[in-house]
Amino acid sequence: MDDQTPAPAHEHQHGYLSQKDDYLKRLRRIEGQARGLQRMVEEEQYCIDILTQVSAMTKALQAVSLGLLDEHLRHCVVDAARAGDAEGAEKVEEAMAAITRLVKS
């Protein structure tokens, strides 16, 4: 497929792909934070210091989640709404379920 040919409908491009490298960098940083937390527990560091790092890691994960949700709404949901009522409604329901999970976590 050349650059001029649009992707077929079944080959949907995810909205976050334009920032994929940024997301991967953030996730690698979070992975490092998780390893740091394990090391802190292994070294029997002070509970409050560990909790502070857990909080930082949680905020980092929330930032990734909100970014992905924003991309999903701006791209996947909007594209589905343009495609038709049923597809749009399905994507809205999917987004609402994801939002509900994020709020409960």
Side-chain angles (χ1 to χ4, degrees), residues 58-92:
T58 300
K59 288 181 88 170
L61 280 169
Q62 288 171 341
V64 169
S65 297
L66 290 174
L68 288 170
L69 180 60
D70 181 70
E71 297 289 346
H72 181 69
L73 292 172
R74 292 178 189 277
H75 297 279
C76 301
V77 174
V78 169
D79 290 349
R82 286 183 183 136
D85 290 340
E87 192 173 337
E90 179 182 331
K91 288 294 181 187
V92 168

